[in-house]
Amino acid sequence: MAILPRTSLSLFFFFSFSLYRVSSQPERASFPPRGWNSYDSFCWIVSEEDFLQSAEIISHRLKPYGYEYAVVDYLWYRRDVPGASTDSRGFDVIDGWGRLIPDPVRWPSSKGGFTEIAKKVHGMGLKFGIHIMRGLSRQAYDANTPILDTTKGGAYEESGRRWRAKDIGIKERSCAWMPHGFMSVNTKLGAGRAFLRSLYEQYAEWGVDFVKHDCVFGDDLDVDEITFVSEVLQKLDRPMLYSLSPGTSASPTIAKDISGLVNMYRVTGDDWDTWGDVAAHFDVARDFAAANKIGAKGLLGRSWPDLDMLPLGWLTDPGSNRGPYRMCNLNLDEQKTQMTLWAMVRSPLMFGGDVRKLDETTYSLITNPFVLEINSFSMNNMEFPYVTGTKGSIHKTMALSQLSRKCLKEVVSRTRFLGLTSCNNPKVNGWLVEALDDLDQICWKENVRSHEPLCLYKRKPLLASDEQLIYNQGELHLLASDGMEFCLDASSRQKRTSKELKSSSFSPCRSDANQMWELNNNGSLISSYSGLCATVNSIDAKVGNSGVRSWIATGRKGEIYVALFNLNSVKTVISAKTSDMAKVLPGRNFNGTSCHGREVWSGKDFGKIEDLISMEVEVHGCALFVVNCR
C-alpha cells in the first residue's frame, strides 16, 4: 500500500475536506462537526481576550484540519465577582426581556450581545458558537420580566393581559444540577413559545452559527423544548447547528424521537481526563452504532452521537473558578485510544485544551490525517467482536465471540442500577406495589438469581405550609429505606462524568419535579421531571474477560480500518483474522485475497497480511490499522 508523507496527506485531506463541504452546502452537519470549546480549559470564566486569542490560533493551526467552530461554553452572562460560581443565584446579566446577555466586564465589546465577537470570529474564517441552558433563567424569573413578542415588536399580550416570566417559568422543573440557575418553560403557552422564539432569533441576529443546548437531554430530557427550538431553527434565515448536552443515561431508545430534531447530541455524562471516563464510552458507542444512529437524519441534514469534548493538552478542572493550569492526566497511550475511538465512532471532535499552549504531541494527535479521514468519511462503522487478547501466554487467548459460552462456567457477579429510558420501551412495565403495615413499597418484579427484588418505599410528597401541590394526585416520593428523608432523583443534583453513569442518586426530599414519580396501572414508573420511565438494569462482571475491544470501518477507496483496544492493566497481544471481517462487511470476500496493512500510530508497515492482524498493545493503548485488500 502506497503511503503519502504526512505533509502531502495533510494537504490531500484538507482539499478533499474542502471539496466535500462545497458540494454539500445545503445539508447541515454533513460530517461530524469539528471545532474548539472553552469549557475544558476555562470552565465558565473565559473572557473576550482569552476567547479571541484562542480563535486566532485555531484559524491558523486547526482550521486547515477542519476545526471550524469556536464555541463559548456556559455562563458567559455570569459576572465573575466574589460569590459567583457555577450554581450561584443573582449574578447573571439579562436584558429588559429576561434574555441573557454577555457579562460586559468579561466581554467589553459585547454591547448587549455577541455581534462584535461573532464578526471577529467570522473574519478569521471560523464559525461562532455559544452554550445555552434550558428554558428561563432564575434571574429573569425573580425579576418577573415581560416577554418579548418578536412578531409585533413589543410585550407579549394574550387574553387581555401582558405576560411575564413567572407566568411561563416552571420553577418546580429547575435544572437538577443547576437549580439556582435555570428552569423549564411551559411551551404549551403562547407566551412560553414567544420567549423561546425571541432567544433564538436574537442569537441569529448576533451571528451565532452553533448552539449547545444544555440540561434538556438524557436524564434531564425536555422533549417539548427540544421540539420547539428545532422548529424555530428551521425557520431562521441563518443556518445554526443544534447540539444537545449532556447525555447522562442516554440510550438509542431515548434518542429515537430526538436525533432527527438536532445535529449532534451527547450520549454520556461529561468526559474528563481519566481512564475511567474514556473506558465508559465503549459500550454506549457500540449501542448507538448498532442502532444506526451514526450520521442519521437530523435537523435539515444529519445528526451525530457525541462522545463529548477532547480533554487533551492544558486544562482546568470541572466546576472550577480558575482557568487552565495543568496538563492532561491521561498518558499518551490513553490519549491515542480516545482519539481513535472518537474517530471510529465518527463522534464530533471538539478540542477542549488551551490552544494558546498547544504542545506538539497534542497537536499531532488531534490533527493526525488518518484519524481525521476516518472521522469524516468512513462508513460501516461498528464494533468488531471477532478479536482475541493474549496476556502473557497464548494459552490464555479467548475470542470475544466465545465469551457467551465460557461465562456459563465462570463466577458471575451482577450489579443492579436504576436507569431511565423511553416509556415506549415495553421493558419498563415491571413495577409492582407491595403493601406493608406502614409505608408501601414499589418493587421491580425481576428477581435476579439469589438477590431480593429491588424495592423503594413510597409516600405522598410532604409539602411546606406555603406550598401548593401542583402535581397529579397520584405522584409520589420514592425513598431508599423506611424512615429516611432521602428521595430518589430522576437526575443527579451534581453533574456526572462518563464513568459515573450507572450510579443512582438520592438526596434530601424536596417538592420539585426531579423527585416526583407516578406509578401507572401498566407497571411503568414515570418521572415528572423528564417524562422518562424508570427501569432496573444489571451489569455482569465476568471473571476471565479478555479486556480487549475492536472497531471496524471502511474507507472511501475500499480500504478497511481496524482498531484494536487494550482495556487491560497489562500489555496484551490483540489479534483479528482477515477472514472474519467478511462476517461484518457484507459483499466483501477475503478468501484468496492479498491484504497489506500499516499501523497508524507506530507508522509500522506490516506488509502482506496472510490471515491475521496482530500486535502487542500497550496498557490502555490501541493499534489502528489501515488495510488494503485486492
Side-chain angles (χ1 to χ4, degrees), residues 71-249:
V71 181
V72 182
D73 210 86
Y74 76 154
L75 303 183
W76 37 266
Y77 35 81
R78 185 153 297 174
R79 291 179 290 130
D80 187 8
V81 295
S85 65
T86 55
D87 188 34
S88 54
R89 181 174 173 180
F91 294 93
D92 296 342
V93 184
I94 59 175
D95 67 10
W97 302 107
R99 301 177 299 180
L100 297 159
I101 55 177
D103 169 21
V105 176
R106 284 196 287 150
W107 304 89
S109 69
S110 62
K111 299 178 182 178
F114 270 128
T115 304
E116 292 304 314
I117 303 296
K119 285 181 180 178
K120 292 177 181 178
V121 171
H122 294 155
M124 300 174 193
L126 300 174
K127 296 180 180 180
F128 177 62
I130 61 173
H131 173 288
I132 54 176
M133 290 293 295
R134 70 156 49 187
L136 177 75
S137 72
R138 186 62 187 249
Q139 192 103 352
Y141 183 89
D142 290 342
N144 202 22
T145 53
I147 307 301
L148 175 63
D149 185 345
T150 57
T151 62
K152 297 180 179 179
Y156 184 87
E157 295 184 357
E158 185 182 353
S159 301
R161 70 183 183 94
R162 181 173 293 185
W163 291 65
R164 293 182 172 272
K166 289 187 177 180
D167 297 318
I168 66 170
I170 308 176
K171 185 173 62 173
E172 297 76 15
R173 290 192 63 197
S174 296
C175 177
W177 44 267
M178 198 188 287
H180 298 108
F182 294 86
M183 65 187 72
S184 289
V185 162
N186 189 341
T187 56
K188 294 180 174 60
L189 297 174
R193 296 191 297 273
F195 175 75
L196 292 175
R197 187 182 300 110
S198 74
L199 295 182
Y200 290 86
E201 289 181 354
Q202 182 184 59
Y203 302 150
E205 291 170 2
W206 289 351
V208 172
D209 307 294
F210 178 105
V211 288
K212 177 183 175 182
H213 197 179
D214 211 334
C215 203
V216 291
F217 188 55
D219 286 346
D220 307 295
L221 184 66
D222 192 331
V223 175
D224 291 341
E225 184 164 331
I226 294 171
T227 301
F228 183 73
V229 169
S230 183
E231 292 173 0
V232 172
L233 294 179
Q234 288 185 57
K235 298 174 183 177
L236 294 177
D237 293 332
R238 183 175 193 83
M240 204 178 297
L241 254 62
Y242 189 21
S243 169
L244 302 182
S245 172
T248 310
S249 301

Side-chain angles (χ1 to χ4, degrees), residues 232-289:
V232 172
L233 294 179
Q234 288 185 57
K235 298 174 183 177
L236 294 177
D237 293 332
R238 183 175 193 83
M240 204 178 297
L241 254 62
Y242 189 21
S243 169
L244 302 182
S245 172
T248 310
S249 301
S251 67
T253 304
I254 295 177
K256 182 179 178 180
D257 299 325
I258 297 300
S259 60
L261 303 174
V262 302
N263 301 113
M264 54 187 276
Y265 53 100
R266 282 267 299 281
V267 294
T268 67
D270 286 358
D271 175 68
W272 278 93
D273 52 328
T274 71
W275 172 246
D277 280 350
V278 175
H281 287 79
F282 280 89
D283 286 350
V284 70
R286 172 202 60 205
D287 294 344
F288 276 85

Side-chain angles (χ1 to χ4, degrees), residues 607-620:
K608 185 176 181 181
I609 297 175
E610 296 294 342
D611 182 47
L612 195 68
I613 300 171
S614 184
M615 186 172 179
E616 184 179 58
V617 181
E618 294 290 334
V619 174
H620 299 169

